[in-house]
Amino acid sequence: MREWWVQVGLLAVPLLAAYLHIPPPQLSPALHSWKTSGKFFTYKGLRIFYQDSLGVVGSPEIVVLLHGFPTSSYDWYKIWEGLTLRFHRVIALDFLGFGFSDKPRPHQYSIFEQASIVESLLRHLGLQNRRINLLSHDYGDIVAQELLYRYKQNRSGRLTIKSLCLSNGGIFPETHRPLLLQKLLKDGGVLSPILTRLMNFFVFSRGLTPVFGPYTRPSESELWDMWAGIRNNDGNLVIDSLLQYINQRKKFRRRWVGALASVSIPIHFIYGPLDPINPYPEFLELYSTNMIFAYTVTFLSINTSSCWKGRQNDICNRCLVLSRDEAGDARERKVNINSLLALVCQISCLIFKIT
């Protein structure tokens, strides 16, 4: 009996070792094309991947896209061409630890560093003195909030923000409901490195798919593209470190929510109500309560969730702007279609299409 267990153990050890070092999947042709068409710049010795496309001639508008967790700038590829028809420059990057950017470990990943990387990229491109439109999703929303805070401080050398379009993201810690796997990874202590090693495509896809709406689920090939981006440079091994942004968001709530509530630039929010992480109606109620200046909201179909990008159908259910009078009472009015903010909304309605 003892010899039988020894034989099983001797067989299991190399199998487990092989399993934990499975090479990353090959890039799909589309993902490979995205990588080869992009560029890299160096931030403090670390390589950061980005895309930069010239768009419509004669427009002064520049848009910078900030992706979500745990994916990459490739999230935006289906709307890339559409954005180039509206903006003169369309720019996106893979945050440190994501996609094709470097993924150092050990490393103390932070929202502050990611915001500094965005600023550094724009200096690298010679755009530090230009007014920038930001379009963000999920994790990118928090980075955008830090950039807003810096913009509010009016410090020289900081990014000048013209408008901001957010989409489903946990900008309020009190309404954020992280997935079980996210909780285990961010607070797992000594278990976290083991869990990141054990993570595979099956675990990843089963964990991420519920975040999409029931009628906007990604295809298996789309999930494989996401997983390939994560596995690039052993990115699965830094997910627990990246997830510390959830704890940072709680710690710096006053700084980041305060920045969002106090700036007077046009702010737009695209919201999918079936988001299990930022549930409806609690999230929108808190959003309307905290916003002081005029803002707009695109409320998506009731069948859409947090990760609604990339599908092909109608998106907009309604588009409203909520403003407050001196007494603080909220009221609804139609969006001014001539404003830049309405342009961002219109882009969302026409390009971010879902089934």
Side-chain angles (χ1 to χ4, degrees):
M1 179 65 71
R2 183 178 300 175
E3 292 180 356
W4 180 81
W5 281 106
V6 170
Q7 292 175 357
V8 171
L10 292 174
L11 179 62
V13 168
L15 288 176
L16 182 60
Y19 170 74
L20 296 179
H21 293 84
I22 294 175
Q26 289 188 339
L27 304 184
S28 68
L31 188 55
H32 181 265
S33 176
W34 182 260
K35 181 180 181 181
T36 56
S37 64
K39 301 177 183 178
F40 290 86
F41 84 103
T42 301
Y43 173 81
K44 296 185 177 180
L46 299 167
R47 280 163 46 92
I48 304 297
F49 176 84
Y50 70 95
Q51 288 277 359
D52 178 19
S53 294
L54 291 176
V56 62
V57 177
S59 171
E61 302 296 343
I62 301 168
V63 62
V64 176
L65 314 178
L66 308 177
H67 68 80
F69 179 92
T71 49
S72 68
S73 59
Y74 188 64
D75 286 353
W76 308 105
Y77 86 100
K78 286 191 176 181
I79 67 164
W80 196 264
E81 183 179 355
L83 289 174
T84 61
L85 299 177
R86 300 291 186 121
F87 293 90
H88 176 60
R89 293 279 288 273
V90 182
I91 300 164
L93 76 158
D94 289 352
F95 291 124
L96 185 68
F98 295 82
F100 298 121
S101 292
D102 281 353
K103 299 170 180 177
R105 66 179 198 276
H107 186 83
Q108 291 185 342
Y109 292 90
S110 74
I111 295 297
F112 300 102
E113 182 179 44
Q114 306 288 20
S116 295
I117 290 173
V118 175
E119 292 177 331
S120 180
L121 172 59
L122 293 175
R123 285 194 297 270
H124 173 75
L125 297 175
L127 300 175
Q128 64 271 26
N129 296 320
R130 299 288 299 275
R131 300 179 70 194
I132 305 297
N133 302 288
L134 294 177
L135 176 57
S136 63
H137 175 242
D138 188 57
Y139 184 94
D141 289 350
I142 316 304
V143 178
Q145 286 177 272
E146 171 58 21
L147 291 170
L148 271 183
Y149 176 84
R150 299 181 185 188
Y151 168 73
K152 178 187 172 186
Q153 300 304 306
N154 197 27
R155 297 174 182 170
S156 60
R158 296 302 190 190
L159 179 65
T160 302
I161 302 174
K162 185 175 184 179
S163 71
L164 170 62
C165 182
L166 304 151
S167 56
N168 285 65
I171 58 178
F172 302 113
E174 54 269 49
T175 59
H176 185 251
R177 306 288 185 267
L179 301 174
L180 176 61
L181 183 59
Q182 290 178 318
K183 293 178 181 179
L184 292 174
L185 287 172
K186 79 179 182 69
D187 298 323
V190 294
L191 287 178
S192 294
I194 299 174
L195 292 173
T196 57
R197 282 281 181 186
L198 292 174
M199 186 178 296
N200 56 25
F201 175 74
F202 178 83
V203 174
F204 164 75
S205 60
R206 294 304 182 275
L208 185 65
T209 298
V211 178
F212 291 78
Y215 303 104
T216 59
R217 297 286 167 87
S219 66
E220 186 168 339
S221 63
E222 289 173 327
L223 286 167
W224 272 110
D225 280 340
M226 297 177 198
W227 179 240
I230 292 171
R231 284 298 317 276
N232 184 70
N233 294 333
D234 291 327
N236 56 304
L237 303 183
V238 302
I239 285 181
D240 56 331
S241 299
L242 291 171
L243 278 168
Q244 296 310 308
Y245 84 91
I246 296 176
N247 296 328
Q248 294 166 21
R249 182 170 49 204
K250 292 180 181 179
K251 182 177 181 180
F252 298 103
R253 183 199 185 280
R254 178 177 296 181
R255 175 186 179 105
W256 292 335
V257 174
L260 188 64
S262 60
V263 294
S264 57
I265 65 167
I267 295 179
H268 184 72
F269 199 96
I270 303 173
Y271 182 71
L274 287 189
D275 185 352
I277 299 177
N278 305 285
Y280 175 82
E282 295 92 330
F283 176 84
L284 279 187
E285 289 174 352
L286 189 60
Y287 185 75
S288 62
T289 300
N290 277 269
M291 299 301 287
I292 299 174
F293 295 96
Y295 63 92
T296 57
V297 175
T298 297
F299 191 85
L300 303 184
S301 164
I302 195 65
N303 295 322
T304 56
S305 182
S306 173
C307 298
W308 36 261
K309 54 193 176 300
R311 298 291 181 173
Q312 303 293 324
N313 208 329
D314 181 54
I315 181 177
C316 281
N317 193 354
R318 60 190 179 99
C319 196
L320 304 171
V321 59
L322 297 176
S323 65
R324 291 183 174 275
D325 58 21
E326 294 181 358
D329 295 323
R331 62 183 184 274
E332 280 189 351
R333 69 171 185 269
K334 295 290 184 181
V335 175
N336 177 8
I337 299 302
N338 295 320
S339 69
L340 174 64
L341 194 56
L343 174 62
V344 175
C345 175
Q346 188 178 21
I347 292 169
S348 304
C349 295
L350 294 177
I351 302 172
F352 281 104
K353 295 187 176 180
I354 53 181
T355 54

